[in-house]
Amino acid sequence: MAALRIAVIGGDGIGPEVIDQAIRVADAALRHDKAALEWDRLPWSSAYYKQTGQMMPADGWDVLRRHDAVLLGAIGHPDVPDHITLHGLLLPMRRKFDQYVNLRPAYLFDGVQSPLRDKAPGSIDMVVYRENTEGEYAPLGGRQYQGTPHEVALQANLFTRRGCERIIRAAFEGARRRSRKKLTSITKSNAQQFGMVLWDETFRDVARDYPDVQAGSLLIDAAAMDFVRKPETFDVVVASNLFGDILTDLSAIVTGSMGLAASANINPERTYPSMFEPVHGSAPDIAGKGIANPLAAILSAGMMLDHLGLARSASALRGAVAAVLKAGKPRTPDLGGNAHTTDVTEAVLAAL
């Protein structure tokens, strides 16, 4: 088969460090499908912004469209405001490429200690479907009278029936494929009487098409409590942009470390390339020290392989990560060890 083309954006901070390791592991895993990937490295980052005044060139979106997927390390630097970095590349990509499914699994691996008491390996096993293109992060609003006592800032949420239905339906389909077949919707309709009420109504409407899935709803504050109190009760979760963003950081921490948190930004119709990224961000405090955990980036690459139809390679990659974690070493500092980034990668390659 012809090599699939992957746009690689290492980005900022530890992003390039962990993405380099993810590529090494993905290349090694690909033999299980007798496949190859063509990695197209793009220099778009905060450093690129400092040189050019923009996060990507004028034809950047056209460049990305010519790829089968995007692998992203991290975007963000202390010297460049977040509203420039995130709104110059990451958030527009999700909307322009209609990557409306943000998929974030959280699994407690054997050999990893949860900060929660008495949680056995595999007892926490959930996946969050986060709406990725509208909701609370829609770019609607503005500011007036800046710098005066009368300054006004307006930030509006955007909920459409189409947007709610498609992410909720994707979550039901995901729940149907899992053994527990359980889906929890996250809401705050007791306080947000318009957007969240539409969300709830849509959830109930779609649920009628999935009688085999156990469907329920939780207020966001109760869900946040239960992600800590009893995370093992969750299977599949569907949430709006903001609520999903907050809960998935929490689910990553209760399964051991942000250094294990992978994610995918999916365009299910495959009209546009989907994007895959570790959740941990650019971590400028440890950038260049060679101690970043590469496993979140490696697991994100595994999600990409699955999306590209390379299931055997993806399964081998995840199995190798699980074997290294179960062995208990090497470990980067976020997991209580003192190993370097490349030490962990070498162990994963050996397990492969």
Side-chain angles (χ1 to χ4, degrees):
M1 61 181 292
L4 298 168
R5 298 189 69 221
I6 310 301
V8 179
I9 305 175
D12 300 316
I14 65 172
E17 302 173 38
V18 296
I19 287 299
D20 283 348
Q21 307 311 309
I23 290 173
R24 292 179 64 198
V25 174
D27 277 337
L30 284 168
R31 70 175 183 272
H32 293 274
D33 285 291
K34 296 181 172 60
L37 297 179
E38 179 184 327
W39 307 99
D40 183 13
R41 295 176 182 268
L42 304 171
W44 306 340
S45 62
S46 294
Y48 184 89
Y49 174 81
K50 291 178 186 179
Q51 294 171 356
T52 66
Q54 52 191 3
M55 288 298 296
M56 58 162 54
D59 66 344
W61 301 118
D62 292 330
V63 170
L64 290 176
R65 280 189 188 94
R66 295 194 289 268
H67 293 81
D68 295 290
V70 180
L71 185 61
L72 173 69
I75 295 294
H77 192 279
D79 295 341
V80 182
D82 285 345
H83 70 268
I84 291 176
T85 53
L86 294 180
H87 291 271
L89 178 57
L90 181 59
L91 298 183
M93 187 191 305
R94 292 171 176 173
R95 291 189 290 267
K96 284 180 179 293
F97 290 169
D98 208 19
Q99 298 165 349
Y100 60 87
V101 175
N102 182 238
L103 203 58
R104 295 195 180 184
Y107 181 80
L108 182 57
F109 285 96
D110 193 359
V112 176
Q113 181 67 51
S114 170
L116 303 179
R117 184 179 59 193
D118 301 330
K119 299 300 180 185
S123 62
I124 305 174
D125 181 7
M126 70 174 86
V127 58
V128 177
Y129 283 70
R130 166 190 168 195
E131 201 291 315
N132 214 24
T133 59
E134 53 178 53
E136 303 89 348
Y137 291 177
L140 298 175
R143 295 173 66 180
Q144 292 192 22
Y145 313 118
Q146 289 176 253
T148 78
H150 307 289
E151 185 168 358
V152 176
L154 175 66
Q155 186 80 47
N157 298 344
L158 173 68
F159 288 87
T160 66
R161 181 169 289 276
R162 171 178 175 266
C164 294
E165 179 174 352
R166 62 185 189 172
I167 186 63
I168 289 169
R169 193 170 294 279
F172 268 106
E173 291 289 339
R176 177 175 273 176
R177 291 190 294 270
R178 288 167 64 91
S179 59
R180 283 196 282 169
K181 293 181 169 55
K182 179 182 177 182
L183 177 62
T184 305
S185 170
I186 308 302
T187 184
K188 192 61 179 173
S189 52
N190 60 340
Q192 295 177 294
Q193 65 194 60
F194 303 119
M196 280 285 114
V197 169
L198 173 60
W199 175 278
D200 288 354
E201 291 172 353
T202 307
F203 183 76
R204 289 192 294 269
D205 290 345
V206 175
R208 285 193 278 269
D209 294 336
Y210 297 87
D212 54 322
V213 175
Q214 178 187 345
S217 184
L218 270 182
L219 294 176
I220 177 61
D221 37 354
M225 176 179 69
D226 284 348
F227 263 50
V228 174
R229 188 168 64 118
K230 48 181 182 179
E232 64 277 1
T233 63
F234 292 97
D235 182 20
V236 177
V237 176
V238 64
S240 67
N241 216 330
L242 174 62
F243 294 166
D245 194 6
I246 294 169
L247 287 178
T248 50
D249 278 6
L250 190 52
S251 67
I253 286 300
V254 300
T255 51
S257 171
M258 292 295 286
L260 300 175
S263 77
N265 301 267
I266 303 292
N267 172 245
E269 293 76 20
R270 300 175 186 263
T271 309
Y272 303 98
S274 295
M275 183 264 285
F276 302 83
E277 58 173 336
V279 175
H280 50 56
S282 60
D285 56 320
I286 61 170
K289 296 181 180 179
I291 58 172
N293 190 340
L295 295 180
I298 291 170
L299 290 168
S300 297
M303 296 180 76
M304 182 183 72
L305 297 180
D306 258 331
H307 178 74
L308 295 173
L310 304 169
R312 285 174 294 188
S313 301
S315 178
L317 181 152
R318 284 191 294 271
V321 169
V324 170
L325 289 170
K326 183 176 181 179
K329 61 181 182 180
R331 294 185 178 233
T332 44
D334 62 299
L335 291 175
N338 56 12
H340 288 86
T341 306
T342 52
D343 297 332
V344 176
T345 304
E346 293 297 336
V348 175
L349 290 171
L352 268 171

